[in-house]
Amino acid sequence: MSNHNRIYLSPPHMGTEEQAYIAEAFDTNWITTLGPNVQHFESELSAMVGSKGAVALSSGTAALHLALQLLDVGPGDTVFCSSLTFVASANPIRYLGAEPVFIDSEPASWNMSYHALQRAFRDAFIQNKMPKAVVIVNLYGQSADLEPLCALCDLYGVPIVEDAAESLGATYQGKASGTIGRFGIFSFNGNKIITTSGGGMLVSDDTAALERARFLSAQAREPAIHYQHHETGYNYRLSNILAGVGRGQLKVLDERIRSKRAIFERYHTELSTLPGFGFMPEAEYGKATRWLSVMTVDQVQAGTTADEIIQRLHENNIEARPVWKPLHLQPLFAGCAYYPHESESSLSEQLFRQGICLPSGSSLKEEEQRRVMDCILSCLRPVRMVSGGGGSY
């Protein structure tokens, strides 16, 4: 193992104003799940993304769980869901007793494939087993191509939940990621572009549904002087202290996006011209945040593999990971239906084999990034140049 300091994949990056909001919470003794920071965080974020309302919650997973419950997902139902994503995108489907049907990615954005979704809907229509919802994930800071996906879902009358856990600050045709589906969810986990250490947000233009989510997130307590409950609720509200962290983080979101994009551009400039090396594309319809810089390695052309590079980085005390293992390959979801982008070709499986998530923290220093790139270059095997006697990469 290298003696160098550890370079992490995407560590928290705190600003200068979080402490003031935390101190205010302590000074006023607003420590629990109610308080001014929670209310302001909700209103400030909804104003930033352009939704009519928001509910601050304990995690993005909680937000997705409530969104699906608001759409009446229950036992025996199916929900279509992106396959190339973290398990939290599908776990809430199971919480409610429903089953996921997984949809592959497409090459232009690595997000949900229109063609795969179309085949899934056709089969569901023939089988008279329509899904209750479609969970579309906006992967690694980039929106899916939502216009055709929305048109297809509207044709069949099925609502969309936009899993924007990784894409706060991204845009699609001038609109904020997370605001195009019936519901949108954001995550503020420690590795996200902004963080509350742990937390999430549910956004929507359906303010009545958001009030229902707020009620369910607070143990479904009825407005009585005693503790009165008619329904099962959840302990999902965000604390006033953590909401204060979120308020401070919101103020530097644009700065964090600029840093993330600059990091991506340095990787791209240095490595994209090498044989067999590619990067996640940026679709023309919007602006990505580049939450993570993701590279692909074609073994035949590059003479090395994604696994070899990840191992070399690990040996040099640098954190890197494969892209998400597609959920249809996870033992947890064995037996669930899966629709590839093309009938005999799964893009998400290819990306899992070839993809590397590189260190992308917004606090990453240029000299640290240079260390990452030098380590990657060291994996390349020298080849003899035709015109001379020297070696070259």
Side-chain angles (χ1 to χ4, degrees), residues 288-304:
T289 66
R290 299 297 187 184
W291 169 58
L292 291 183
S293 293
V294 188
M295 182 177 74
T296 58
V297 181
D298 184 309
Q299 179 179 1
V300 174
Q301 297 180 48
T304 188

Side-chain angles (χ1 to χ4, degrees), residues 103-171:
I103 311 297
D104 197 9
S105 300
E106 49 82 21
S109 71
W110 295 9
N111 286 306
M112 185 175 282
S113 162
Y114 174 87
H115 298 296
L117 181 63
Q118 186 179 51
R119 293 200 307 276
F121 267 125
R122 286 174 178 170
D123 284 355
F125 182 78
I126 292 169
Q127 297 164 10
N128 195 28
K129 183 68 174 177
M130 297 301 290
K132 277 289 186 71
V134 178
V135 177
I136 299 177
V137 176
N138 298 330
L139 191 71
Y140 295 133
Q142 176 162 249
S143 175
D145 191 359
L146 285 160
E147 184 175 36
L149 295 174
C150 286
L152 189 58
C153 291
D154 288 346
L155 177 66
Y156 288 97
V158 178
I160 289 171
V161 178
E162 211 177 334
D163 182 346
E166 302 175 8
S167 63
L168 177 65
T171 62

Side-chain angles (χ1 to χ4, degrees), residues 19-34:
Q19 288 284 2
Y21 292 117
I22 294 171
E24 181 182 358
F26 272 85
D27 291 343
T28 58
N29 207 31
W30 283 105
I31 304 300
T32 63
T33 57
L34 297 173

Side-chain angles (χ1 to χ4, degrees), residues 8-28:
Y8 292 96
L9 186 69
S10 184
H13 186 186
M14 305 312 291
T16 59
E17 300 196 41
E18 293 88 347
Q19 288 284 2
Y21 292 117
I22 294 171
E24 181 182 358
F26 272 85
D27 291 343
T28 58

Side-chain angles (χ1 to χ4, degrees), residues 79-94:
V79 174
F80 292 172
C81 180
S82 301
S83 187
L84 189 61
T85 183
F86 182 52
V87 71
S89 298
N91 274 341
I93 300 169
R94 285 275 180 87

Side-chain angles (χ1 to χ4, degrees), residues 55 57 62 65-72 96 202 208-222 229-237:
V55 180
L57 299 164
H65 182 196
L66 290 176
L68 293 174
Q69 184 162 337
L70 291 169
L71 294 174
D72 199 31
L96 294 165
L202 177 66
L210 291 179
E211 282 306 309
R212 170 78 176 156
R214 188 172 282 109
F215 168 74
L216 291 172
S217 74
Q219 300 287 22
R221 181 186 175 187
E222 301 289 342
H229 305 271
H230 296 290
E231 302 178 67
T232 300
Y234 311 98
N235 184 19
Y236 277 174
R237 290 295 268 150

